[in-house]
Amino acid sequence: MSYKKNAEERVQKIADHLANTNNEQDEFLMKSQWKDEILELKRRQAQNRTADPNDRGYVRQKATGKLWVRERIDAFLDKSSFVEIGSIAGNAKYNQAGTVTNYIPANFVAGTGTVNKRHVVVAADDFSIRGGHADGAVWGKSLYTEQLARKLKIPIIRLIDGSSGGGSVTLMLEKGATYLPPLFGMHDMIASLSEIPVVAAALGPAVGLGAARATLTHFSVVSGDIGSLFAAGPPIVANATFETVSKESLGGALVHTANGTFDNLASSEHECFEQIRCFLGYLPTHTGELPPRLKSQVDSSTRRDNELLSIIPKRRQRMYQVREILVRVLDKDSWFEIGSRWGDGAVCGLGRLNGYTVGIITFDCTLKGSVISASSCHKFRRHIDLCDTFGIPIVNFADYAGFAVGTVAEKEATIRYGSTLTAALYQCDVPYFSVVLRKVFGVAGAAFVDNRVPNMRVAWPSGDWGSLPLEGGIYAAYRRELDAAGEKRDELYEKIMSQFEAVRSPLRTAELFDIPEIIDPRDTRPLLCYWIKMMYSHILPQRLERTKVHGPRILYRP
């Protein structure tokens, strides 16, 4: 009873404030025959936009360390840029006289705004109202938001907290019947993926439909302190599988950034917003535009970094840090990694060369020895498709020892997913340039460096390639001789190896023009900056015109 009384007092205070404000400042409204309707509209808007510190949902939201839905929108968008859509949408009940007896705002806040002065649509769940479930939702609002983003051809950002209007058993009692579960707006959500940037942040539990909305995206980030994701929560899991789990152990941020469900992990909601702003900065507003160029005022396209000469050790068994190469070649402070916690060593991200957006693929040789697993294939394929969808040229810093082998690799269907990756590499038609850092072996290595006509590729002096890694290949080709050598097996192996070492130099490959150039590592940035300018000047505009006429060659699948 006290809860209801507090709510009524809060609404009355808002109404009094509006009445006083309008009396003092808007004499024209007070004389209007539409005064009562407009004042009621403003009263409801003010009610929806003003946090109630006595509301149980709001108190719960704050007790768990989460921002309120409107605080999130204000923190994410450019200041004062939010224009709300459906500001009084909600569930209202009327008496016989037509007077409102109860009104609850929709648990979904949406509208347009700007991010770094570029227009976006933002769609945010309000977990403080019925935990984001369908019985607190207004379906048309969410559907309209998805359709609006497509029509305007601007990015949509989903701030997810709850089931995003997903199912609730209480709806059956309200309707007096069960119902076939609908997926309102799913056609538009899927179509958007091939037309506009779609981004999501998990700022609480993403459950059911909320989980689908979080993963049907080009980029997703989860707040590590409060975010989680699961098809169904712990109570349903306990009933279905008899497991006793917490939200964190079932689908916490660490679980789902290690398996690729979420792309990136953030330490807080504010870091989620910063990562989304950064990601959007590399992408065009829609697929009918070229990616934006951010002209660097501090980094020269002809910069040569002497540290690149010594990053890769001459002894092939020694490891190196590939990200050190990336940050020294790309524009300063432009490297944005995507999915750093999963992929078994696959490294993907976005960066800039002389201000132009580029997609990066490479491998961290300190993990798995540059061997590509099924998880690596999934990660590479998704990133290649992202770049292909938005017309982003790809730079491949090649170091691939081949697909993983052994019983684990076979059980994980590595070759099946490797074939999917190979198809993605050959089907995408964005400009593609390979810089061979070290290993290129087998089908996997070939797929990464031999997928264009003509292939644009160069190599560092550390390049090492062939059908098989030489060390294992010798054991396969000379097995009978080595087995027969007995105690002199190692001596024979070294003798055979020395013969191959004489022809292993990448300079010999360049003599045959199988690799167009072996370059001084310090020349990598100037060369790539020269290449990327040509691509944006000559190739990408032609590709863009074809896309406008014929549509995308391959539809995006997350």
PDB file of all heavy atoms in Angstrom, residues 254-279:
ATOM      1  N   LEU A 254      32.998 -14.206 -18.690  1.00  0.00           N
ATOM      2  CA  LEU A 254      34.234 -14.945 -18.977  1.00  0.00           C
ATOM      3  C   LEU A 254      33.956 -16.208 -19.778  1.00  0.00           C
ATOM      4  O   LEU A 254      34.768 -16.614 -20.612  1.00  0.00           O
ATOM      5  CB  LEU A 254      34.949 -15.292 -17.668  1.00  0.00           C
ATOM      6  CG  LEU A 254      35.470 -14.103 -16.856  1.00  0.00           C
ATOM      7  CD1 LEU A 254      36.167 -14.584 -15.579  1.00  0.00           C
ATOM      8  CD2 LEU A 254      36.426 -13.250 -17.686  1.00  0.00           C
ATOM      9  N   VAL A 255      32.800 -16.832 -19.532  1.00  0.00           N
ATOM     10  CA  VAL A 255      32.427 -18.029 -20.294  1.00  0.00           C
ATOM     11  C   VAL A 255      32.257 -17.682 -21.768  1.00  0.00           C
ATOM     12  O   VAL A 255      32.811 -18.336 -22.657  1.00  0.00           O
ATOM     13  CB  VAL A 255      31.127 -18.642 -19.739  1.00  0.00           C
ATOM     14  CG1 VAL A 255      30.625 -19.776 -20.655  1.00  0.00           C
ATOM     15  CG2 VAL A 255      31.332 -19.162 -18.323  1.00  0.00           C
ATOM     16  N   HIS A 256      31.504 -16.628 -22.035  1.00  0.00           N
ATOM     17  CA  HIS A 256      31.097 -16.359 -23.416  1.00  0.00           C
ATOM     18  C   HIS A 256      32.055 -15.467 -24.196  1.00  0.00           C
ATOM     19  O   HIS A 256      31.886 -15.305 -25.406  1.00  0.00           O
ATOM     20  CB  HIS A 256      29.696 -15.759 -23.432  1.00  0.00           C
ATOM     21  CG  HIS A 256      28.626 -16.788 -23.207  1.00  0.00           C
ATOM     22  ND1 HIS A 256      28.599 -17.990 -23.879  1.00  0.00           N
ATOM     23  CD2 HIS A 256      27.546 -16.802 -22.374  1.00  0.00           C
ATOM     24  CE1 HIS A 256      27.554 -18.689 -23.487  1.00  0.00           C
ATOM     25  NE2 HIS A 256      26.898 -17.997 -22.579  1.00  0.00           N
ATOM     26  N   THR A 257      33.055 -14.891 -23.560  1.00  0.00           N
ATOM     27  CA  THR A 257      34.114 -14.241 -24.340  1.00  0.00           C
ATOM     28  C   THR A 257      35.238 -15.232 -24.640  1.00  0.00           C
ATOM     29  O   THR A 257      36.112 -14.926 -25.454  1.00  0.00           O
ATOM     30  CB  THR A 257      34.682 -13.018 -23.605  1.00  0.00           C
ATOM     31  OG1 THR A 257      35.045 -13.385 -22.262  1.00  0.00           O
ATOM     32  CG2 THR A 257      33.677 -11.889 -23.575  1.00  0.00           C
ATOM     33  N   ALA A 258      35.204 -16.401 -24.002  1.00  0.00           N
ATOM     34  CA  ALA A 258      36.197 -17.445 -24.288  1.00  0.00           C
ATOM     35  C   ALA A 258      35.725 -18.396 -25.371  1.00  0.00           C
ATOM     36  O   ALA A 258      36.521 -19.191 -25.889  1.00  0.00           O
ATOM     37  CB  ALA A 258      36.521 -18.225 -23.011  1.00  0.00           C
ATOM     38  N   ASN A 259      34.437 -18.338 -25.726  1.00  0.00           N
ATOM     39  CA  ASN A 259      33.947 -19.225 -26.786  1.00  0.00           C
ATOM     40  C   ASN A 259      33.444 -18.468 -28.011  1.00  0.00           C
ATOM     41  O   ASN A 259      32.970 -19.081 -28.975  1.00  0.00           O
ATOM     42  CB  ASN A 259      32.842 -20.140 -26.246  1.00  0.00           C
ATOM     43  CG  ASN A 259      31.616 -19.375 -25.756  1.00  0.00           C
ATOM     44  OD1 ASN A 259      31.371 -18.236 -26.146  1.00  0.00           O
ATOM     45  ND2 ASN A 259      30.831 -20.000 -24.886  1.00  0.00           N
ATOM     46  N   GLY A 260      33.520 -17.137 -27.981  1.00  0.00           N
ATOM     47  CA  GLY A 260      33.165 -16.346 -29.149  1.00  0.00           C
ATOM     48  C   GLY A 260      31.708 -15.923 -29.226  1.00  0.00           C
ATOM     49  O   GLY A 260      31.312 -15.286 -30.197  1.00  0.00           O
ATOM     50  N   THR A 261      30.905 -16.248 -28.204  1.00  0.00           N
ATOM     51  CA  THR A 261      29.521 -15.787 -28.205  1.00  0.00           C
ATOM     52  C   THR A 261      29.485 -14.263 -28.171  1.00  0.00           C
ATOM     53  O   THR A 261      28.741 -13.627 -28.923  1.00  0.00           O
ATOM     54  CB  THR A 261      28.759 -16.371 -27.006  1.00  0.00           C
ATOM     55  OG1 THR A 261      28.788 -17.800 -27.088  1.00  0.00           O
ATOM     56  CG2 THR A 261      27.308 -15.891 -26.984  1.00  0.00           C
ATOM     57  N   PHE A 262      30.263 -13.683 -27.264  1.00  0.00           N
ATOM     58  CA  PHE A 262      30.518 -12.243 -27.276  1.00  0.00           C
ATOM     59  C   PHE A 262      31.884 -12.005 -27.908  1.00  0.00           C
ATOM     60  O   PHE A 262      32.820 -12.790 -27.711  1.00  0.00           O
ATOM     61  CB  PHE A 262      30.527 -11.662 -25.863  1.00  0.00           C
ATOM     62  CG  PHE A 262      29.194 -11.594 -25.194  1.00  0.00           C
ATOM     63  CD1 PHE A 262      28.953 -12.280 -24.018  1.00  0.00           C
ATOM     64  CD2 PHE A 262      28.164 -10.836 -25.734  1.00  0.00           C
ATOM     65  CE1 PHE A 262      27.718 -12.222 -23.387  1.00  0.00           C
ATOM     66  CE2 PHE A 262      26.926 -10.766 -25.113  1.00  0.00           C
ATOM     67  CZ  PHE A 262      26.697 -11.469 -23.932  1.00  0.00           C
ATOM     68  N   ASP A 263      32.017 -10.903 -28.611  1.00  0.00           N
ATOM     69  CA  ASP A 263      33.309 -10.565 -29.203  1.00  0.00           C
ATOM     70  C   ASP A 263      34.289 -10.062 -28.149  1.00  0.00           C
ATOM     71  O   ASP A 263      35.407 -10.569 -28.049  1.00  0.00           O
ATOM     72  CB  ASP A 263      33.137  -9.507 -30.291  1.00  0.00           C
ATOM     73  CG  ASP A 263      32.411 -10.045 -31.512  1.00  0.00           C
ATOM     74  OD1 ASP A 263      32.874 -11.051 -32.072  1.00  0.00           O
ATOM     75  OD2 ASP A 263      31.379  -9.473 -31.883  1.00  0.00           O
ATOM     76  N   ASN A 264      33.870  -9.066 -27.385  1.00  0.00           N
ATOM     77  CA  ASN A 264      34.813  -8.393 -26.486  1.00  0.00           C
ATOM     78  C   ASN A 264      34.295  -8.326 -25.066  1.00  0.00           C
ATOM     79  O   ASN A 264      33.085  -8.300 -24.828  1.00  0.00           O
ATOM     80  CB  ASN A 264      35.122  -6.978 -26.981  1.00  0.00           C
ATOM     81  CG  ASN A 264      36.124  -6.960 -28.116  1.00  0.00           C
ATOM     82  OD1 ASN A 264      36.383  -7.982 -28.741  1.00  0.00           O
ATOM     83  ND2 ASN A 264      36.695  -5.808 -28.392  1.00  0.00           N
ATOM     84  N   LEU A 265      35.241  -8.258 -24.150  1.00  0.00           N
ATOM     85  CA  LEU A 265      34.964  -8.097 -22.719  1.00  0.00           C
ATOM     86  C   LEU A 265      35.300  -6.664 -22.327  1.00  0.00           C
ATOM     87  O   LEU A 265      36.315  -6.110 -22.745  1.00  0.00           O
ATOM     88  CB  LEU A 265      35.823  -9.068 -21.912  1.00  0.00           C
ATOM     89  CG  LEU A 265      35.729  -9.001 -20.388  1.00  0.00           C
ATOM     90  CD1 LEU A 265      34.353  -9.456 -19.906  1.00  0.00           C
ATOM     91  CD2 LEU A 265      36.825  -9.851 -19.749  1.00  0.00           C
ATOM     92  N   ALA A 266      34.438  -6.063 -21.528  1.00  0.00           N
ATOM     93  CA  ALA A 266      34.679  -4.715 -21.004  1.00  0.00           C
ATOM     94  C   ALA A 266      34.600  -4.764 -19.484  1.00  0.00           C
ATOM     95  O   ALA A 266      33.913  -5.608 -18.911  1.00  0.00           O
ATOM     96  CB  ALA A 266      33.664  -3.720 -21.556  1.00  0.00           C
ATOM     97  N   SER A 267      35.283  -3.849 -18.842  1.00  0.00           N
ATOM     98  CA  SER A 267      35.314  -3.849 -17.378  1.00  0.00           C
ATOM     99  C   SER A 267      34.099  -3.162 -16.772  1.00  0.00           C
ATOM    100  O   SER A 267      33.819  -3.333 -15.583  1.00  0.00           O
ATOM    101  CB  SER A 267      36.593  -3.143 -16.891  1.00  0.00           C
ATOM    102  OG  SER A 267      36.620  -1.793 -17.345  1.00  0.00           O
ATOM    103  N   SER A 268      33.365  -2.388 -17.577  1.00  0.00           N
ATOM    104  CA  SER A 268      32.236  -1.631 -17.052  1.00  0.00           C
ATOM    105  C   SER A 268      31.301  -1.260 -18.192  1.00  0.00           C
ATOM    106  O   SER A 268      31.628  -1.441 -19.376  1.00  0.00           O
ATOM    107  CB  SER A 268      32.725  -0.355 -16.360  1.00  0.00           C
ATOM    108  OG  SER A 268      33.318   0.527 -17.315  1.00  0.00           O
ATOM    109  N   GLU A 269      30.148  -0.720 -17.837  1.00  0.00           N
ATOM    110  CA  GLU A 269      29.218  -0.252 -18.853  1.00  0.00           C
ATOM    111  C   GLU A 269      29.830   0.861 -19.696  1.00  0.00           C
ATOM    112  O   GLU A 269      29.680   0.900 -20.914  1.00  0.00           O
ATOM    113  CB  GLU A 269      27.921   0.235 -18.202  1.00  0.00           C
ATOM    114  CG  GLU A 269      27.128  -0.869 -17.507  1.00  0.00           C
ATOM    115  CD  GLU A 269      25.762  -0.402 -17.061  1.00  0.00           C
ATOM    116  OE1 GLU A 269      24.967   0.025 -17.929  1.00  0.00           O
ATOM    117  OE2 GLU A 269      25.470  -0.461 -15.844  1.00  0.00           O
ATOM    118  N   HIS A 270      30.524   1.769 -19.028  1.00  0.00           N
ATOM    119  CA  HIS A 270      31.117   2.898 -19.751  1.00  0.00           C
ATOM    120  C   HIS A 270      32.172   2.420 -20.751  1.00  0.00           C
ATOM    121  O   HIS A 270      32.299   2.984 -21.846  1.00  0.00           O
ATOM    122  CB  HIS A 270      31.712   3.894 -18.768  1.00  0.00           C
ATOM    123  CG  HIS A 270      30.681   4.676 -18.010  1.00  0.00           C
ATOM    124  ND1 HIS A 270      29.969   5.707 -18.570  1.00  0.00           N
ATOM    125  CD2 HIS A 270      30.219   4.543 -16.735  1.00  0.00           C
ATOM    126  CE1 HIS A 270      29.126   6.204 -17.681  1.00  0.00           C
ATOM    127  NE2 HIS A 270      29.250   5.520 -16.557  1.00  0.00           N
ATOM    128  N   GLU A 271      32.925   1.365 -20.399  1.00  0.00           N
ATOM    129  CA  GLU A 271      33.897   0.836 -21.363  1.00  0.00           C
ATOM    130  C   GLU A 271      33.182   0.156 -22.527  1.00  0.00           C
ATOM    131  O   GLU A 271      33.659   0.202 -23.664  1.00  0.00           O
ATOM    132  CB  GLU A 271      34.865  -0.142 -20.704  1.00  0.00           C
ATOM    133  CG  GLU A 271      35.998  -0.540 -21.653  1.00  0.00           C
ATOM    134  CD  GLU A 271      36.915  -1.624 -21.114  1.00  0.00           C
ATOM    135  OE1 GLU A 271      36.965  -1.819 -19.880  1.00  0.00           O
ATOM    136  OE2 GLU A 271      37.580  -2.277 -21.947  1.00  0.00           O
ATOM    137  N   CYS A 272      32.040  -0.474 -22.256  1.00  0.00           N
ATOM    138  CA  CYS A 272      31.230  -1.022 -23.356  1.00  0.00           C
ATOM    139  C   CYS A 272      30.890   0.070 -24.358  1.00  0.00           C
ATOM    140  O   CYS A 272      31.042  -0.109 -25.575  1.00  0.00           O
ATOM    141  CB  CYS A 272      29.939  -1.633 -22.808  1.00  0.00           C
ATOM    142  SG  CYS A 272      30.115  -3.229 -21.990  1.00  0.00           S
ATOM    143  N   PHE A 273      30.429   1.198 -23.852  1.00  0.00           N
ATOM    144  CA  PHE A 273      30.042   2.306 -24.731  1.00  0.00           C
ATOM    145  C   PHE A 273      31.236   2.817 -25.524  1.00  0.00           C
ATOM    146  O   PHE A 273      31.120   3.123 -26.710  1.00  0.00           O
ATOM    147  CB  PHE A 273      29.438   3.443 -23.908  1.00  0.00           C
ATOM    148  CG  PHE A 273      28.249   3.037 -23.072  1.00  0.00           C
ATOM    149  CD1 PHE A 273      27.975   3.666 -21.862  1.00  0.00           C
ATOM    150  CD2 PHE A 273      27.412   2.000 -23.488  1.00  0.00           C
ATOM    151  CE1 PHE A 273      26.883   3.291 -21.101  1.00  0.00           C
ATOM    152  CE2 PHE A 273      26.318   1.610 -22.722  1.00  0.00           C
ATOM    153  CZ  PHE A 273      26.056   2.260 -21.529  1.00  0.00           C
ATOM    154  N   GLU A 274      32.394   2.892 -24.877  1.00  0.00           N
ATOM    155  CA  GLU A 274      33.590   3.386 -25.559  1.00  0.00           C
ATOM    156  C   GLU A 274      34.014   2.417 -26.665  1.00  0.00           C
ATOM    157  O   GLU A 274      34.405   2.837 -27.759  1.00  0.00           O
ATOM    158  CB  GLU A 274      34.718   3.577 -24.555  1.00  0.00           C
ATOM    159  CG  GLU A 274      35.998   4.142 -25.150  1.00  0.00           C
ATOM    160  CD  GLU A 274      35.787   5.455 -25.879  1.00  0.00           C
ATOM    161  OE1 GLU A 274      34.971   6.296 -25.399  1.00  0.00           O
ATOM    162  OE2 GLU A 274      36.399   5.662 -26.949  1.00  0.00           O
ATOM    163  N   GLN A 275      33.941   1.101 -26.406  1.00  0.00           N
ATOM    164  CA  GLN A 275      34.301   0.124 -27.437  1.00  0.00           C
ATOM    165  C   GLN A 275      33.342   0.202 -28.627  1.00  0.00           C
ATOM    166  O   GLN A 275      33.768   0.090 -29.781  1.00  0.00           O
ATOM    167  CB  GLN A 275      34.299  -1.286 -26.841  1.00  0.00           C
ATOM    168  CG  GLN A 275      35.469  -1.563 -25.911  1.00  0.00           C
ATOM    169  CD  GLN A 275      35.716  -3.054 -25.730  1.00  0.00           C
ATOM    170  OE1 GLN A 275      35.507  -3.848 -26.640  1.00  0.00           O
ATOM    171  NE2 GLN A 275      36.177  -3.430 -24.546  1.00  0.00           N
ATOM    172  N   ILE A 276      32.058   0.379 -28.354  1.00  0.00           N
ATOM    173  CA  ILE A 276      31.090   0.489 -29.450  1.00  0.00           C
ATOM    174  C   ILE A 276      31.361   1.732 -30.282  1.00  0.00           C
ATOM    175  O   ILE A 276      31.343   1.696 -31.522  1.00  0.00           O
ATOM    176  CB  ILE A 276      29.654   0.499 -28.905  1.00  0.00           C
ATOM    177  CG1 ILE A 276      29.318  -0.854 -28.282  1.00  0.00           C
ATOM    178  CG2 ILE A 276      28.659   0.828 -30.020  1.00  0.00           C
ATOM    179  CD1 ILE A 276      27.986  -0.890 -27.579  1.00  0.00           C
ATOM    180  N   ARG A 277      31.623   2.855 -29.610  1.00  0.00           N
ATOM    181  CA  ARG A 277      31.942   4.086 -30.349  1.00  0.00           C
ATOM    182  C   ARG A 277      33.174   3.882 -31.227  1.00  0.00           C
ATOM    183  O   ARG A 277      33.214   4.341 -32.374  1.00  0.00           O
ATOM    184  CB  ARG A 277      32.162   5.237 -29.370  1.00  0.00           C
ATOM    185  CG  ARG A 277      30.882   5.825 -28.793  1.00  0.00           C
ATOM    186  CD  ARG A 277      31.152   7.119 -28.046  1.00  0.00           C
ATOM    187  NE  ARG A 277      31.838   6.888 -26.785  1.00  0.00           N
ATOM    188  CZ  ARG A 277      31.234   6.790 -25.599  1.00  0.00           C
ATOM    189  NH1 ARG A 277      29.928   6.911 -25.511  1.00  0.00           N
ATOM    190  NH2 ARG A 277      31.935   6.586 -24.504  1.00  0.00           N
ATOM    191  N   CYS A 278      34.168   3.206 -30.686  1.00  0.00           N
ATOM    192  CA  CYS A 278      35.397   2.956 -31.442  1.00  0.00           C
ATOM    193  C   CYS A 278      35.112   2.056 -32.647  1.00  0.00           C
ATOM    194  O   CYS A 278      35.544   2.346 -33.768  1.00  0.00           O
ATOM    195  CB  CYS A 278      36.441   2.323 -30.521  1.00  0.00           C
ATOM    196  SG  CYS A 278      38.066   2.126 -31.265  1.00  0.00           S
ATOM    197  N   PHE A 279      34.375   0.976 -32.434  1.00  0.00           N
ATOM    198  CA  PHE A 279      34.054   0.046 -33.515  1.00  0.00           C
ATOM    199  C   PHE A 279      33.317   0.759 -34.643  1.00  0.00           C
ATOM    200  O   PHE A 279      33.648   0.601 -35.828  1.00  0.00           O
ATOM    201  CB  PHE A 279      33.210  -1.107 -32.966  1.00  0.00           C
ATOM    202  CG  PHE A 279      32.715  -2.062 -34.013  1.00  0.00           C
ATOM    203  CD1 PHE A 279      33.550  -3.037 -34.541  1.00  0.00           C
ATOM    204  CD2 PHE A 279      31.410  -1.989 -34.487  1.00  0.00           C
ATOM    205  CE1 PHE A 279      33.101  -3.922 -35.514  1.00  0.00           C
ATOM    206  CE2 PHE A 279      30.943  -2.860 -35.455  1.00  0.00           C
ATOM    207  CZ  PHE A 279      31.793  -3.828 -35.967  1.00  0.00           C
TER     208      PHE A 279
END
